[in-house]
Amino acid sequence: MSVGLRLLGLCIFLLKNVKTDQIGFEFQPFPVLKNDNLLRAARGEVVDRVPVWVMRQAGRYLPEFQELRKLHDFFTVCRTPELACEVTMQPLRRFDLDASIIFSDILVIPQALGLTVEMHAGVGPVLPQPIVVPEDLKRLTPDGALSRLSYVGDAITMMRHKLEGRVPLIGFTGAPWTLMGYMIEGGGSKTMSKAKAWLNEHPEDSKLFLNLLTDAIVDYLEMQVKAGAQMLQVFESSAEHLSKEQFLEWGVPYLKRIRDELVDRLTKKAIPVVPMTLFAKGAGHSLKEQSELGYDVIGLDWTVDPLEARNLVGPNITLQGNLDPQDMYRDPEELRNLTTEMVHKFGKSRYIANLGHGITPQTPITSMEVLVEAVHKAL
Ligand SMILES: *[C@@H]1O[C@H](CO)[C@@H](O)[C@H](O)[C@H]1NC(C)=O
Ligand SMILES: *[C@@H]1O[C@H](CO)[C@@H](O)[C@H](O)[C@H]1NC(C)=O
């Protein structure tokens, strides 16, 4: 190539990339973030407006999501970056949201560890060969698990470009106890009785299992940050099955290790640390303990009172939540009032509005419009 052509190439590169910020995994610069209220709220900085997003905002309540799912099965959507990005973008086309969250599933880690996970319509995830006895842990394949998750990184990087800096992109993972539960039960469970029996009957193997998952999770989150995730949420959705004492023994130490090791690794590699949210559903009994783990944001389910939560976590933690997803089925005026009351209780500082759990499939579209508008107008 001639010197002239190379110079021309360099000039085009510089022109294309002159206004960029964070450097991604492939060292491609990303578009500058325009609405950073989510990240500012997470860091305790002043916001223009209370940021709002909704757990499972890319989901079955959207007709365009249902249409896409008729053509592609659930995990194909997760594994195909173009499809994952399309689904991630769907709610942003309709609503004035302040965050996007990459479309994926917490069970991609058990898959990468060698377990089959199927999504059955009307049932949810099914793992046909669950971990039944400690001996079964030998079937797990932690070596190479991260490379089998590279499609999530690809989707995150692609999404950062497609977002054009409109709102931040959140990455996420399931927490160790929650993943262990699905892997032992072979799917969701109303009681988690088999997984809880493990904690009593095989305490040492339970620790091995939780540590193996914790290692995989730290690798996975590091990869997501390198790929361009601007914030991370850890879903301990099955905390609700544990007593406070059990949560402190089987949840908290691993949640702490995730945060500490991720921060340590990123810092050593001079990669900027992103804000992290812990959402331990049903663990309102341990908010003080959760606030001491180093997470920037604590997600609340709807059973927790905002003012009590603030008293327990102190002034330096951001709270996220916590409208009952069932309130999305109320009249628009009632929903608007409940949302306004909620935002008034939490206040404008260190607060991210959300539901207290994922949005449910029959939710009317208008409820999302009412929720988002009411949050933005409340303060
Ligand atoms: C909150 O953070 C401020 C500023 O860093 C610090 O001075 C204060 O002691 C912290 N408060 C608590 C309760 O941790
Ligand atoms: C909603 O709030 C307004 C203003 O406080 C009040 O007048 C109205 O009665 C409330 N509506 C409902 C359905 O609660």
Side-chain angles (χ1 to χ4, degrees):
M1 214 193 328
S2 78
V3 173
L5 266 180
R6 278 190 213 194
L7 270 177
L8 183 64
L10 180 67
C11 287
I12 290 170
F13 175 83
L14 288 174
L15 277 173
K16 269 174 69 184
N17 298 298
V18 68
K19 280 189 86 182
T20 53
D21 56 2
Q22 197 182 332
I23 304 298
F25 193 21
E26 307 296 337
F27 300 98
Q28 77 283 54
F30 290 124
V32 174
L33 188 56
K34 294 166 197 144
N35 172 357
D36 64 349
N37 283 298
L38 178 86
L39 304 183
R40 282 195 272 144
R43 293 190 292 247
E45 297 165 10
V46 173
V47 292
D48 303 329
R49 64 183 193 185
V50 171
V52 55
W53 68 280
V54 164
M55 288 185 274
R56 255 186 245 139
Q57 65 188 24
R60 282 181 287 167
Y61 74 103
L62 290 173
E64 57 271 34
F65 177 88
Q66 307 255 26
E67 284 302 310
L68 188 134
R69 279 282 282 102
K70 281 183 195 157
L71 303 174
H72 308 282
D73 86 14
F74 183 88
F75 285 109
T76 301
V77 180
C78 295
R79 283 200 203 97
T80 313
E82 288 79 7
L83 295 176
C85 288
E86 167 56 24
V87 167
T88 303
M89 194 62 92
Q90 285 175 347
L92 298 172
R93 294 196 188 106
R94 282 182 182 266
F95 315 114
D96 188 15
L97 295 159
D98 298 283
S100 57
I101 179 162
I102 195 68
F103 185 80
S104 188
D105 192 86
I106 62 169
L107 297 180
V108 296
I109 289 184
Q111 276 179 338
L113 291 171
L115 293 191
T116 299
V117 183
E118 297 160 357
M119 197 58 83
H120 291 192
V123 177
V126 173
L127 292 77
Q129 285 110 32
I131 301 294
V132 178
V133 289
E135 187 73 8
D136 290 338
L137 290 173
K138 294 204 185 88
R139 286 181 12 228
L140 299 178
T141 54
D143 289 344
L146 186 61
S147 67
R148 289 188 286 277
L149 290 164
S150 62
Y151 62 88
V152 179
D154 295 341
I156 286 173
T157 302
M158 184 182 286
M159 193 63 204
R160 275 295 299 276
H161 289 287
K162 286 189 189 283
L163 278 168
E164 296 176 336
R166 191 173 141 190
V167 291
L169 179 61
I170 304 169
F172 70 93
T173 182
W177 155 250
T178 296
L179 295 181
M180 174 179 165
Y182 277 96
M183 293 165 86
I184 292 175
E185 301 286 340
S189 158
K190 287 201 161 60
T191 56
M192 288 282 158
S193 55
K194 292 179 198 145
K196 287 170 77 176
W198 259 64
L199 303 179
N200 289 326
E201 289 159 26
H202 315 295
E204 288 311 311
D205 291 304
S206 292
K207 281 180 206 161
L208 273 175
F209 197 171
L210 290 164
N211 276 316
L212 180 152
L213 288 166
T214 302
D215 291 339
I217 288 165
V218 174
D219 286 347
Y220 183 48
L221 292 179
E222 180 188 351
M223 182 267 277
Q224 292 191 40
V225 174
K226 286 175 174 170
Q230 290 157 294
M231 191 159 168
L232 297 169
Q233 179 154 326
V234 178
F235 285 88
E236 186 72 288
S237 314
S238 298
E240 60 188 358
H241 295 288
L242 301 178
S243 68
K244 174 168 182 169
E245 199 180 329
Q246 285 174 323
F247 178 65
L248 296 182
E249 182 171 3
W250 301 106
V252 160
Y254 306 92
L255 293 166
K256 177 161 172 52
R257 190 150 89 69
I258 289 169
R259 168 74 192 172
D260 288 352
E261 284 184 21
L262 184 64
V263 169
D264 192 49
R265 278 201 209 175
L266 295 174
T267 307
K268 281 196 178 125
K269 293 178 187 173
I271 298 168
V273 176
V274 303
M276 285 178 77
T277 302
L278 169 59
F279 176 55
K281 183 168 181 289
H285 47 58
S286 308
L287 291 175
K288 180 149 180 52
E289 290 83 355
Q290 288 180 53
S291 76
E292 289 160 358
L293 302 180
Y295 289 80
D296 307 272
V297 183
I298 303 289
L300 305 175
D301 64 50
W302 66 91
T303 66
V304 178
D305 178 73
L307 302 172
E308 286 177 24
R310 176 52 72 201
N311 280 336
L312 286 166
V313 305
N316 294 344
I317 295 275
T318 297
L319 292 172
Q320 175 174 280
N322 71 343
L323 198 76
D324 186 345
Q326 191 62 32
D327 289 337
M328 300 291 272
Y329 293 89
R330 292 177 186 253
D331 292 342
E333 191 186 329
E334 277 183 287
L335 172 60
R336 195 175 296 115
N337 282 5
L338 287 167
T339 304
T340 307
E341 277 170 35
M342 169 182 80
V343 176
H344 285 169
K345 279 191 187 172
F346 280 106
K348 197 168 181 175
S349 156
R350 280 209 175 270
Y351 175 51
I352 298 164
N354 205 316
L355 301 182
H357 195 34
I359 188 168
T360 54
Q362 313 305 326
T363 300
I365 300 284
T366 48
S367 293
M368 273 292 278
E369 291 163 355
V370 169
L371 174 83
V372 171
E373 192 191 70
V375 169
H376 288 154
K377 281 192 173 163
L379 290 171

